[in-house]
Amino acid sequence: MKHKALRSWAILPALLLGLAGAANAALVGSTSLVSFNAASAGLGSQTLVDFEAAPPGGFSVSGSTAVGLAPSVRNQAGLWNPSGTHFLGVDDAGNLDQFSSGDTMTFTFSSALRAFGLYVVAGGDVIEGDLTLSIGSTVLSNGPQSGAMTDGFGSYAYFMGFVAGDAGDAFNSITLKSKGDFFFVFDVDDLRFTPAGKASDVPEPQALSLALLAACAAGVASRRKAARR
């Protein structure tokens, strides 16, 4: 029994060190607004940009589009979007002011973010993997059509977002790309982001590890003292 107790204390440092490493998580991608909000809860106030009013300052959008024009706020009452009639698109009346397959856009923020997400709205011809959201070398693809929000008449809104698991992983540039191997159109709506605030309140892994090892050592000493009695 004494040996089993000592072995239990011996494996605790490894387990707790693993938890300490998990506290320093990197970017977490999400294709669900529910999971995105859960991952970003407690990081600070979230800003929603639905393009129904003038977007706030502090960020810009640049892009490489088939029509050679930069992304801009558009309004087409005949299109379905998660909220209202305004959306981020491009001045191309032939496609109802929507982007075309192969178009790319980059969102650049003046201040670092802990979370960023958006909806990409497309028709039934878009399938899983046709859209990607990336931060540096970390890439997230859109999920299956079955997980998208829909109006029930052939339009689908795919959510895509990233949450920085630690303040050290904050970012200020995000790129949305669309495949160009076949033709489809899409637009962007309901951006949401959370600015990076103060440094994470989670203890640094090294400091946390030392504290946990000290606690384990104290436990072993307590076991030995009890065994002498």
Side-chain angles (χ1 to χ4, degrees):
M1 292 296 292
K2 292 180 183 178
H3 292 297
K4 290 183 179 179
L6 287 174
R7 280 200 293 269
S8 298
W9 280 106
I11 65 171
L12 270 175
L15 293 174
L16 295 173
L17 282 172
L19 291 175
N24 192 27
L27 295 171
V28 178
S30 177
T31 55
S32 159
L33 178 58
V34 172
S35 61
F36 174 82
N37 283 337
S40 60
L43 295 181
S45 178
Q46 186 184 94
T47 297
L48 173 65
V49 182
D50 61 8
F51 301 109
E52 299 305 312
F59 78 95
S60 61
V61 187
S62 58
S64 173
T65 63
V67 296
L69 298 173
S72 59
V73 177
R74 317 305 298 167
N75 179 20
Q76 285 285 351
L79 298 178
W80 175 78
N81 278 286
S83 60
T85 59
H86 290 74
F87 54 87
L88 186 67
V90 66
D91 189 7
D92 183 353
N95 291 329
L96 296 178
D97 292 345
Q98 294 179 294
F99 297 109
S100 298
S101 53
D103 287 355
T104 297
M105 67 210 69
T106 297
F107 303 85
T108 304
F109 289 77
S110 57
S111 299
L113 304 180
R114 287 290 298 275
F116 174 89
L118 51 72
Y119 273 109
V120 179
V121 184
D125 47 356
V126 169
I127 61 174
E128 184 175 4
D130 281 341
L131 306 157
T132 60
L133 193 68
S134 62
I135 297 175
S137 60
T138 305
V139 181
L140 173 72
S141 298
N142 67 294
Q145 195 176 88
S146 59
M149 184 189 303
T150 180
D151 65 346
F153 297 97
S155 292
Y156 299 86
Y158 295 90
F159 182 83
M160 305 172 73
F162 279 111
V163 176
D166 188 81
D169 298 311
F171 52 90
N172 62 5
S173 180
I174 309 97
T175 298
L176 175 66
K177 293 183 178 181
S178 57
K179 284 188 175 180
D181 53 350
F182 70 98
F183 182 77
F184 61 87
V185 295
F186 65 98
D187 60 65
V188 173
D189 203 5
D190 285 10
L191 303 184
R192 59 196 75 222
F193 56 89
T194 301
K198 63 181 181 178
S200 173
D201 291 330
V202 177
E204 288 296 319
Q206 296 88 343
L208 183 59
S209 299
L210 289 174
L212 294 174
L213 287 172
C216 291
V220 171
S222 176
R223 290 274 181 172
R224 287 176 177 171
K225 184 177 180 181
R228 293 196 192 103
R229 293 176 180 175

